[in-house]
Amino acid sequence: MTNFFFEMIDTPAPCFFLVAGPCVIENFDTTFQIAKTLKTITADLGIPFIFKASFDKANRTSVQSFRGPGFDQGLSILADIKSRLDLKVISDIHLPDQADPAAQVLDVIQIPAFLCRQTDLILAACRTGRPVSVKKGQFLAPQDCKNILDKAAFTGNPHIAITERGSSFGYNNLVVDFRSIHILKQMGVPVIFDATHSVQLPGGGITSSAGDRQFIPTLAKAAIAAGAHGLFMETHPDPAKALCDGPNSMPLADMTPLLTTLLAIKKAAATG
């Protein structure tokens, strides 16, 4: 059976797929407008698109940080947006018992980086039969992802992808080793690059994570040139006012020119 993620880019023209949206569901209106804008942009550019927004950010730095509307309300919002805009949607789960009800709404289930070694969570997500994207933990070497893939294979679900999002580099910093894209591809798995969390400075704001969004385009270009199958990006109309991960979110107004450039790089890399 063909992997869902490979199917998304099974087109004659060199392309990548995009997973994008706000870090967290802030409210219906903002989330809907971001989804609508991204659908228009990706349709115009011919980029396969999955809309991403979290219903609960369970790994926030501070107990005071905004986490989102929660499981039930968040899934309801995603279901409404999915129906109105005819979109595929993805969100992350944190507990095994969330897998089955989430799979009733989500087209793709995401496993957060901090939870990528949680066997019961991975098994529960994969047993739903939904495609599953596992974020590679900041503490893992790319070779370690073979164990994640073995867990997924144990369930018989072939629709698995690994998302590279940088590795811990001292305190409050991440660095991306682009060799990991090649290493992961050698495992026969679709590879997604998270261009926004890779510029995060975990805990760098003391009671929150910081980030440096100026480097998002640079890392995204490098990842596409290195052969990533998909790109993950968090985006917001006004990142300075975003309730979560604003410092490492891409301004929504800048998405079209960046994606246009990335398509040109993908084409050049495919023919070079």
Side-chain angles (χ1 to χ4, degrees):
M1 184 181 296
T2 305
N3 184 294
F4 164 85
F5 300 97
F6 283 141
E7 289 177 343
M8 291 193 70
I9 52 174
D10 185 18
T11 59
C15 196
F16 56 88
F17 61 86
L18 178 69
V19 180
C23 175
V24 67
I25 298 170
E26 297 181 358
N27 54 62
F28 175 83
D29 290 341
T30 300
T31 308
F32 179 84
Q33 288 304 319
I34 294 172
K36 183 177 180 181
T37 300
L38 288 172
K39 178 178 180 178
T40 299
I41 292 171
T42 53
D44 288 345
L45 294 176
I47 298 174
F49 172 53
I50 306 172
F51 177 68
K52 180 269 170 187
S54 296
F55 51 78
D56 179 21
K57 301 300 292 185
N59 60 346
R60 295 303 304 273
T61 303
S62 169
V63 72
Q64 304 297 331
S65 298
F66 179 76
R67 289 180 51 166
F71 187 77
D72 292 332
Q73 184 182 354
L75 280 179
S76 177
I77 290 172
L78 288 174
D80 194 3
I81 290 173
K82 174 181 176 176
S83 175
R84 293 193 193 199
L85 296 177
D86 189 24
L87 289 173
K88 293 181 173 66
V89 296
I90 179 174
S91 194
D92 34 16
I93 63 171
H94 304 90
L95 300 168
D97 61 8
Q98 293 179 334
D100 285 335
Q104 300 303 309
V105 173
L106 304 180
D107 297 282
V108 184
I109 296 173
Q110 180 172 282
I111 304 298
F114 285 132
L115 300 179
C116 70
R117 290 188 60 172
Q118 297 297 102
T119 301
D120 290 343
L121 182 63
I122 292 172
L123 294 179
C126 291
R127 282 172 176 154
T128 66
R130 289 295 192 187
V132 177
S133 173
V134 182
K135 289 283 195 77
K136 180 180 78 63
Q138 304 91 316
F139 43 84
L140 290 185
Q143 295 88 338
D144 297 333
C145 291
K146 178 64 167 58
N147 295 314
I148 298 172
L149 297 175
D150 287 344
K151 293 174 184 179
F154 181 78
T155 70
N157 186 341
H159 305 293
I160 312 300
I162 298 291
T163 298
E164 167 62 59
R165 47 107 1 117
S167 300
S168 296
F169 188 68
Y171 297 122
N172 308 124
N173 198 20
L174 299 171
V175 67
V176 179
D177 180 356
F178 286 100
R179 293 177 299 179
S180 69
I181 293 176
H182 177 78
I183 293 168
L184 292 168
K185 288 178 70 175
Q186 293 300 107
M187 298 179 189
V189 63
V191 180
I192 303 169
F193 179 68
D194 184 341
T196 47
H197 284 103
S198 293
V199 302
Q200 188 181 62
L201 302 174
I206 307 301
T207 58
S208 65
S209 290
D212 198 344
R213 74 174 69 92
Q214 68 172 313
F215 296 117
I216 294 171
T218 299
L219 296 186
K221 293 171 188 176
I224 294 301
H229 301 104
L231 188 67
F232 178 106
M233 298 181 71
E234 289 184 341
T235 182
H236 194 278
D238 188 352
K241 294 181 180 179
L243 299 182
C244 180
D245 275 0
N248 52 269
S249 290
M250 188 74 179
L252 187 60
D254 294 341
M255 289 292 287
T256 297
L258 175 58
L259 291 172
T260 301
T261 298
L262 294 177
L263 282 174
I265 292 172
K266 185 71 175 180
K267 181 178 180 181
T271 58

